[in-house]
Amino acid sequence: MARARSSTQQVISERSRRAFVGRDAERALFRANLEHGPQDERHTFLFHVHGNAGVGKTCLVREWEQIARECGALTVYADEAVGSVPEAMAAISARFARQGHRTKDLDRLLTAHRERRHEAETAVAAALGPAIGGTGDPQGPDAPAQPSQLTLAATRAGLVGLGLVPGVGALAGAVDPVQLAQGADRLRASVGTRMRNQEDLRLVLAPEEVLTPVLLDELAGIAAEVPWIVLFFDTYERTGPFLDGWLHDVLGTDRHGAALPDNVVVVTAGQRPLDTARWAGFADSVTDVPLGPFTETEARLLLARRDVVAEPVVRQVLRLTGGLPVLVSTLAAHRPAAPDEVGDPSGTAVDRFLKWEQDPVRRAVVLACALPRRLDADVFQAAAQCADEEADALFAWLRELPFVGDRGDRVQYHDVVRAPMLRLQRHRSPRGWTERHTRLARTFAQWRGETETGPDAGRPWADARWRELRLAESYHLLCARPRVALPEVLADAVLACDLGEAVAGRWARVLVDAGEDADAADVARWGHELSEALAGTDASAGSGALAGARVPAGARVPAGTGAPAGTDAPAGSRADAGSGAHARTDVPAAGAGNAGAGAADTGVVAALGLLLNRAVLDPPRQALARTARGAALRRAGAHARALAEYDRALALDPELARAYRGRAMSRGELADYEGALADLDRAVALAPDDGRAFSVRGEYRRILRDYDAAIRDLDRGIALEPARAFAWASRGATRLSRGELDAALADLDQALELNPEYGWALARRARVWRARGEHARQLADLDRAVRAQPDWAWGACERGDALRVAGRYEDALADYDRALALDGAYASAYASRGACLNALGRHADALADLNRALELRPGYAWALEQRAAVHERRAEGGE
């Protein structure tokens, strides 16, 4: 018996299916949909696959088509070869016929449509004869009145939109618009006389309205004979402009008088997502299928299928392709055996991304605008170097490209598209690559310089916009000349670390990006190592970072709040901080308002250790790095180590004012206020305009009860930096200590206007309310303070004291318990809880707490008074 022979097409199709890898979830999703009946809530009537060129949309659609056929479906596949809705219907009819299902009525009308259209084109060509290259004189004595500009525009748009003459869109500029407008009526009359009846005219001018009802009738008949009909429309970025509205009407409306059978599934695939405005009402019936590059596992599987398994080769393919399936497949087809045999597929990738764009100017703009990491209108014009009058239109066009992600005021290329565009330009013209990046770096440097004005001109790193421009400048310098730019960017990384992990992380990221984009291994390695150090994944980076550092109880504070945890005497006859254990605990964190203040910042310590250990910094920058590292250690509570870093910094640069200020703050954390004041005297002598140094010195003088000197320093600090909430809060606390309640309230109100969640200022204002007898307001502020800083032991104890004085002993106990859970060495909390337990008649427990308070703070007068009161009550009760 003779074996049935397969066609070449079938053999190729089967081989393609065997080569298909990955997309398991997408295949399972589509197969499951055909297993659900149309009435099943899980069933989808429209799938839309979308993603950048080269991600394998067509391969997936073809795989889905095979799955549909395995499920008994009748399938139709159409791509950009169809140029109109009637052509799409003709493709449907032809595909049905190949599978044994004729659509005779539709075929008859399609034939009539083609014939009538040919007749119409003949009539239009004759009518346009004088308009295209004609020699008549439109200004002659018998010339009709000139049409209006609106008529001209409408006529041209109508002719091109109807598409009656092939190529008229391209010829529109060559056609005399005046003659076109004047001949419009004659044109319509010429077309009309060629048609036999009104139905023929509709078949030419509105073919969809005539053909669609017939198609739907044909589909209804065929749908009764097969389990499923699946219509696939690929390259939807090309066909969608004319198919999308028609499919929307067919799927979801009765505009054409008949409904689509419910066992018809439509699949569209293109680079862009569906038009959400049009399809919003179909959310329950549409499945969006975004397609990205292969995962590493999928890419490795495809390579293994082609016997590409050597790990160095596989890594090189993954690096060059970004997992883009078409590129992985292209490189795998050559079966490279060594990394140097792996060709660069950038040209192939770029050609695919720009497949539909033939304008050389636009293609050049796309490549030029791949150089910046992000684009706004200004960066676009700097990169594209286009004229002002062209920039807006070109930028609007660029934003609409499918691989350009729009983020409001900025756009960004998708990484899988941008990477090969960069490689192509770098390899094609190394000198051009350097020149273009250098020009962009200069542009960003100019813009950065323009921001260095106003009161903060001397502190540019405090300006987020300045930092953003400096980052962009650094990226382009690194791309242009990696070896030259690297030392300067690493020096900037030191200053970035001083602003906390988030800012430092952006500098590490720019090193990674520039290193990879410019193929500069040293730059990329620095970026990765700094990133690892900041993330705490490289234990060697900072010599153990904070390993073994003792963090005093309550030393950490939430970022930006400036409110410490710790102890204070309970409400009533108490001593302020400065006498006894935990003397600094009601200090409003001298770093309040500084970027990154309060963060543990162990990663910053490690990153700075990496920079210092590698000896890549000159002595002045080493001093800055030591100072920044000291600040990070201080924020983490490692005060002894912070002092050592500041000492090293000052040994390198004895005139570094910020190192004196930082050392003073570490000494203040350790309650060495006299030493702190000596350092601050030196700091303000070196930097007389440093408002923060004056404010910190004023706070330490408040703690030492030198209130007049404190006010003078705080006045100066506020005059220099009126936006620093810490200074206002400290002056308010100082005025409270002097009994100036109204002035204290005004200062604390101002601190809270600057920082509404400033817990220490809320707690201090609560004391003002207490002094004024406004206990409801006192409790309201303490509630806010505790909500703002739930891990603040001093705040919990303050509220406990207020509740105890108000007679709410059980509520007060809960706050004292919370304070002691946060700080087990909090003497005042033990004393306060002892007083509360005494009021509840729990004398033994009260004595235990008061004894513990006195162990922690011998001679604690208020605790001694409370313990005596317990003994007195026990004696009265006969215990």
Side-chain angles (χ1 to χ4, degrees), residues 727-748:
W728 291 95
S730 181
R731 193 172 72 175
T734 306
R735 286 174 165 167
L736 173 62
S737 297
R738 299 206 308 188
E740 300 167 359
L741 299 186
D742 290 343
L745 185 60
D747 278 349
L748 291 163

Side-chain angles (χ1 to χ4, degrees), residues 510-567:
V510 86
L511 286 161
V512 171
D513 289 351
E516 293 177 351
D517 294 343
D519 196 22
D522 286 347
V523 174
R525 183 167 56 252
W526 264 109
H528 286 299
E529 290 181 359
L530 284 172
S531 296
E532 290 168 0
L534 289 165
T537 56
D538 183 2
S540 66
S543 303
L546 293 180
R550 179 181 180 274
V551 181
R556 298 183 183 184
V557 297
T561 61
T567 66

Side-chain angles (χ1 to χ4, degrees), residues 86-175:
E87 288 184 20
M89 294 189 200
I92 292 171
S93 174
R95 289 285 183 139
F96 281 174
R98 291 180 196 173
Q99 297 168 77
H101 296 272
R102 298 295 301 274
T103 55
K104 295 179 181 179
D105 291 341
L106 178 62
D107 288 344
R108 177 181 55 78
L109 273 178
L110 283 168
T111 300
H113 164 71
R114 285 190 289 269
E115 292 173 352
R116 300 295 87 78
R117 179 182 173 87
H118 177 71
E119 293 170 3
E121 290 171 353
T122 302
V124 170
L128 289 180
I132 304 178
T135 59
D137 179 11
Q139 301 301 323
D142 298 325
Q146 297 298 302
S148 68
Q149 287 297 112
L150 181 62
T151 304
L152 294 175
T155 302
R156 177 177 293 190
L159 289 169
V160 175
L162 287 173
L164 294 181
V165 180
V168 74
L171 293 173
V175 176

Side-chain angles (χ1 to χ4, degrees), residues 50-103:
H50 61 92
N52 287 316
V55 295
K57 299 182 295 296
T58 296
C59 288
L60 179 63
V61 165
R62 287 299 198 179
E63 178 68 11
W64 279 4
E65 185 178 18
Q66 294 300 320
I67 291 172
R69 289 181 177 178
E70 290 169 3
C71 295
L74 189 66
T75 67
V76 171
Y77 175 87
D79 56 18
E80 73 274 13
V82 302
S84 65
V85 172
E87 288 184 20
M89 294 189 200
I92 292 171
S93 174
R95 289 285 183 139
F96 281 174
R98 291 180 196 173
Q99 297 168 77
H101 296 272
R102 298 295 301 274
T103 55

Side-chain angles (χ1 to χ4, degrees), residues 224-564:
E225 302 173 10
V226 296
W228 295 103
I229 296 174
V230 185
L231 308 177
F232 295 92
F233 297 101
D234 202 358
T235 48
Y236 207 58
E237 66 272 13
R238 305 295 290 179
T239 59
F242 57 82
L243 282 180
D244 202 52
W246 176 70
L247 282 176
H248 177 272
D249 289 343
V250 168
L251 280 166
T253 74
D254 58 359
R255 174 184 170 186
H256 297 289
L260 193 69
D262 63 5
N263 62 339
V264 175
V265 174
V266 177
V267 176
T268 56
Q271 294 187 24
R272 298 178 178 86
L274 281 178
D275 181 350
T276 52
R278 172 172 286 161
W279 292 96
F282 291 76
D284 295 337
S285 302
V286 176
T287 295
D288 187 69
V289 185
L291 216 56
F294 272 160
T295 64
E296 182 175 335
T297 300
E298 290 171 327
R300 286 178 176 274
L301 179 58
L302 189 151
L303 291 169
R305 292 271 180 90
R306 302 291 180 86
D307 298 322
V308 180
V309 294
E311 186 58 26
V313 177
V314 171
R315 285 200 301 270
Q316 180 75 339
V317 171
L318 293 175
R319 184 182 74 83
L320 290 175
T321 64
L324 203 63
V326 67
L327 300 185
V328 176
S329 181
T330 299
L331 295 185
H334 298 290
R335 291 179 168 80
D340 58 2
E341 294 180 15
V342 180
D344 188 345
S346 300
T348 300
V350 172
D351 283 343
R352 291 190 67 90
F353 300 142
L354 301 178
K355 178 179 179 180
W356 309 115
E357 184 52 65
Q358 300 305 316
D359 182 345
V361 172
R362 286 185 169 184
R363 291 175 71 94
V365 164
V366 170
L367 289 173
C369 290
L371 297 178
R373 294 194 298 171
R374 283 170 288 277
L375 294 161
D376 57 20
D378 295 329
V379 177
F380 167 83
Q381 190 162 2
Q385 290 191 293
C386 55
D388 291 349
E389 58 272 16
E390 299 174 339
D392 289 345
L394 279 172
F395 187 44
W397 165 78
L398 184 80
R399 294 177 75 145
E400 295 302 317
L401 293 177
F403 53 79
V404 177
D406 200 327
R407 302 187 178 183
D409 59 340
R410 297 196 178 185
V411 297
Q412 186 171 350
Y413 283 31
H414 294 176
D415 289 342
V416 73
V417 174
R418 182 171 178 261
M421 288 185 176
L422 294 178
R423 283 200 305 272
L424 178 67
Q425 296 180 83
R426 193 177 73 244
H427 292 161
R428 187 170 62 188
S429 175
R431 290 177 62 85
W433 166 271
T434 298
E435 290 168 2
R436 286 190 290 274
H437 277 293
T438 300
R439 185 179 65 250
L440 285 168
R442 288 172 182 161
T443 298
F444 282 109
Q446 177 188 337
W447 293 344
R448 175 172 57 84
E450 292 168 0
T451 69
E452 296 172 1
T453 57
D456 293 330
R459 298 188 302 117
W461 280 87
D463 182 351
R465 175 61 177 160
W466 185 95
R467 294 197 303 269
E468 182 180 6
L469 293 168
R470 181 60 170 168
L471 265 176
E473 177 191 359
S474 299
Y475 169 79
H476 292 294
L477 288 172
L478 287 166
C479 287
R481 293 181 175 83
R483 291 182 180 275
V484 175
L486 180 59
E488 189 67 25
V489 177
L490 290 177
D492 278 359
V494 170
L495 300 175
C497 283
D498 199 27
L499 295 172
E501 289 184 13
V503 176
R506 297 189 67 195
W507 251 259
R509 183 72 249 169
V510 86
L511 286 161
V512 171
D513 289 351
E516 293 177 351
D517 294 343
D519 196 22
D522 286 347
V523 174
R525 183 167 56 252
W526 264 109
H528 286 299
E529 290 181 359
L530 284 172
S531 296
E532 290 168 0
L534 289 165
T537 56
D538 183 2
S540 66
S543 303
L546 293 180
R550 179 181 180 274
V551 181
R556 298 183 183 184
V557 297
T561 61

